[in-house]
Amino acid sequence: MDLQQWTLKDVVEALRRGQVSSVEITRAYLARIEALEPHIHAFLHLDPEGALRRAAEADRLRTQAEDPTSLPPLLGVPIAVKDVLTVRGMPCTCGSRILEDFVPPYNATAVQRLLDAGVIVVGKTNTDEFAMGSSTENSAYGPTYNPWDPSRVPGGSSGGSAAAVAARMVPAALGTDTGGSVRQPASFCGVTGLKPTYGRISRFGLVAYGSSLDTVGTLTLTAADAALLFPLMAGFDPRDATSMRQPVPTITLPDEPDLRGLRIGVPQEYFREGLQPEVAQAVRQAIEHLAHLGAEVVDISLPHTPYAVPVYYIIAPSEASANLARYDGIRYGPRVEGETMWDIFYKTRGRLFGPEVKRRIMLGTYALSAGYYDAYYAKAQKVRTLFRQDFEKAFQRVDLIAAPVAPSTAFPIGTKTQDPLSMYLEDIFTLPANLAGVPGIAFPVGFDHQGLPIGMQLMAPPFEEPRLLAVAHAYQMTTDWHTRVPRFASQGAVGSTP
Ligand code: GLN
């Protein structure tokens, strides 16, 4: 079994037709994980025995079923979950020492809904500590390496999930996107990343970072695969007060790549200096390709784009400083003992949080403190409204917005860790969608001269994920960037079953 060209859809169909069993497919992916994990470090926790046990159960259910159409749609399909989403009985470290021994007794809603649909969670993927980062280098358990070039970062913070999918260690993985953490690693690893509308998928069981920005998304090889997962997870959840009561659409992808009647806006602010010329070129070519499929392309403006980094890096740390107050050595995780309660707090938080998390807690606490609140937090909230208005205005003229995902392709490990500002600037093109709450999808549209993937993102009005998926699918029906396999991950006989 050569899994390198298998999409999630292929896996689902092969299982449905009885061409493979869930045990066979799970074993084959586990074999790839075993071979590649020492080089990629995509996982923080693996449960091969549990996965195989569940695969055997899935096979039994399938053979016993009298009516195969009554079976759960993703029965017996192995996936991975970013380690900031809870999976009952598996550790949830959030890439942090402060949650080293935390084993949550419940499933995140997104995870529970996929389990109800039949998936098997093989493990938890690496992430920047509490999802704070753009490179997965902020994980307390060591970085993940990009399967296209292990000397480079996979992006972040869902770097483990993106690398695992790119290396074909799993056919799909869950990530989270607060400021780009699904789209940017998707772009760096040459896979497809869907960030839904804020409120579309429940945040229950997603460890809070920036609560007004956090979303649960998917990393897959194709938009068609994202279209399999997204509707299963979406929809109102009484356990998340910000989840929306919007009905969940059935997603029908077009049979023909016909984009006539679609208007795509290209924001001029995304093509300014600082953008790697090869990225600009590949994205422009991809936009031309969409025009070739019938879309009308128009120039638009999102004038507040230059303020995305300062606004996000006030709001997200402010929310983080409040959300992370609960990790005090008393309620969760390990404790560093001390003389007094304050001493316990001080030592536990001082020793078990990493440097980036501490930086954000300090930034956020400062921005929220009396005397500075109006100057920083309140002002950032006002500018956030302007971002929403930028998008509202743009979407009066166009159906979708096309833009680069990141200013550059994957950068070498260690090059930005000493300079937080240069790391934050990496996020400029992904942050606006989070600030405005709109959905986005990133997918590969080319490679640079070093063979590193280049991604493009499409953004849509709230709740228009089906449109994003349909257009990305039309692009993928007529191009083959998404089928390329990292050479590193294709070496040897990994992935073959005996
Ligand atoms: N890179 C951004 C940050 O560090 C976004 C992270 C995310 O989306 N979780 O906050």
Side-chain angles (χ1 to χ4, degrees):
M1 194 185 308
D2 179 10
L3 295 180
Q4 286 179 23
Q5 291 305 344
W6 283 49
T7 62
L8 176 68
K9 193 160 168 263
D10 293 330
V11 171
V12 172
E13 280 169 7
L15 284 167
R16 198 180 294 153
R17 288 201 209 99
Q19 287 164 332
V20 298
S21 70
S22 175
V23 167
E24 281 169 327
I25 204 97
T26 305
R27 241 194 218 127
Y29 278 109
L30 289 172
R32 284 188 65 82
I33 292 174
E34 196 175 290
L36 294 171
E37 180 60 4
H39 310 283
I40 308 277
H41 189 229
F43 287 89
L44 293 179
H45 174 75
L46 277 165
D47 181 21
E49 292 85 28
L52 286 169
R53 211 170 38 240
R54 252 162 257 128
E57 274 162 35
D59 287 337
R60 208 169 319 122
L61 221 94
R62 197 179 286 279
T63 29
Q64 285 168 358
E66 275 163 28
D67 172 16
T69 57
S70 68
L71 290 170
L74 301 183
L75 182 64
V77 174
I79 67 157
V81 174
K82 183 180 182 181
D83 205 23
V84 294
L85 287 157
T86 60
V87 178
R88 187 171 45 229
M90 284 190 184
C92 185
T93 69
C94 298
S96 183
R97 292 272 171 223
I98 213 157
L99 285 178
E100 197 160 44
D101 57 9
F102 174 53
V103 181
Y106 65 101
N107 289 317
T109 298
V111 171
Q112 185 61 54
R113 290 185 180 177
L114 289 184
L115 289 170
D116 293 343
V119 306
I120 296 168
V121 178
V122 299
K124 306 290 297 286
T125 55
N126 200 6
T127 167
D128 287 297
E129 188 173 357
F130 288 102
M132 296 176 191
S134 316
S135 67
T136 318
E137 291 167 295
N138 295 336
S139 166
Y141 304 98
T144 294
Y145 303 93
N146 190 316
W148 291 92
D149 175 352
S151 73
R152 291 175 187 264
V153 303
S157 59
S158 313
S161 286
V165 172
R168 276 64 170 173
M169 294 154 104
V170 277
L174 295 188
T176 62
D177 193 313
T178 302
S181 280
V182 162
R183 288 162 291 152
Q184 185 256 22
S187 175
F188 279 15
C189 290
V191 299
T192 301
L194 175 69
K195 172 238 178 273
T197 310
Y198 179 78
R200 185 57 128 160
I201 296 180
S202 171
R203 290 184 295 112
F204 179 75
L206 159 57
V207 176
Y209 161 21
S211 306
S212 75
L213 302 152
D214 292 341
T215 58
V216 179
T218 57
L219 291 128
T220 53
L221 293 174
T222 64
D225 286 356
L228 288 177
L229 296 170
F230 165 73
L232 295 171
M233 295 189 288
F236 178 69
D237 175 11
R239 287 189 283 198
D240 171 5
T242 59
S243 92
M244 303 277 194
R245 287 187 183 270
Q246 203 83 0
V248 180
T250 38
I251 298 182
T252 31
L253 294 175
D255 297 326
E256 295 293 328
D258 182 358
L259 300 184
R260 276 174 299 179
L262 186 83
R263 285 170 71 97
I264 297 181
V266 181
Q268 48 176 0
E269 291 82 2
Y270 282 60
F271 290 86
R272 297 268 161 88
E273 81 268 28
L275 181 62
Q276 188 179 323
E278 289 172 291
V279 174
Q281 202 191 340
V283 171
R284 288 210 184 271
Q285 262 168 18
I287 293 169
E288 261 168 50
H289 185 86
L290 296 175
H292 182 71
L293 298 178
E296 186 190 340
V297 176
V298 294
D299 282 332
I300 58 158
S301 173
L302 294 171
H304 294 91
T305 306
Y307 303 104
V309 173
V311 169
Y312 173 89
Y313 279 95
I314 295 289
I315 294 175
S318 296
E319 295 183 7
S321 71
N323 279 328
L324 271 57
R326 72 191 72 173
Y327 306 111
D328 52 13
I330 309 285
R331 286 172 286 185
Y332 298 87
R335 172 182 314 164
V336 181
E337 292 298 345
E339 310 271 302
T340 61
M341 178 186 75
W342 294 107
D343 197 33
I344 292 174
F345 290 177
Y346 182 77
K347 286 187 174 136
T348 301
R349 291 168 67 85
R351 290 194 201 153
L352 301 178
F353 278 138
E356 184 59 29
V357 171
K358 285 184 195 162
R359 181 178 297 123
R360 305 238 182 152
I361 291 172
M362 286 190 280
L363 281 171
T365 307
Y366 183 83
L368 291 176
S369 56
Y372 295 104
Y373 183 94
D374 286 335
Y376 293 106
Y377 185 72
K379 198 187 224 171
Q381 288 291 19
K382 286 180 190 154
V383 185
R384 183 174 184 179
T385 304
L386 300 177
F387 274 92
R388 202 164 297 137
Q389 291 169 353
D390 274 5
F391 278 94
E392 276 166 11
K393 225 193 243 162
F395 287 131
Q396 282 168 8
R397 289 185 58 208
V398 298
D399 305 304
L400 285 182
I401 294 171
V405 182
S408 71
T409 51
F411 45 87
I413 289 174
T415 43
K416 291 187 196 282
T417 38
Q418 296 314 311
D419 182 1
L421 198 56
S422 79
M423 190 75 95
Y424 299 170
L425 287 168
E426 274 296 305
D427 299 336
I428 178 143
F429 300 145
T430 49
L431 304 175
N434 300 83
L435 291 169
V438 303
I441 191 166
F443 51 91
V445 296
F447 288 84
D448 72 4
H449 71 283
Q450 305 192 80
L452 298 167
I454 297 171
M456 173 168 91
Q457 66 175 326
L458 298 173
M459 293 173 273
F463 304 107
E464 295 295 346
E465 290 90 356
R467 190 184 300 165
L468 285 179
L469 292 163
V471 176
H473 178 62
Y475 182 85
Q476 292 180 332
M477 279 169 92
T478 48
T479 55
D480 67 359
W481 304 113
H482 60 288
T483 65
R484 310 282 175 98
V485 182
R487 204 179 329 116
F488 175 78
S490 61
Q491 281 162 1
V494 285
S496 313
T497 43

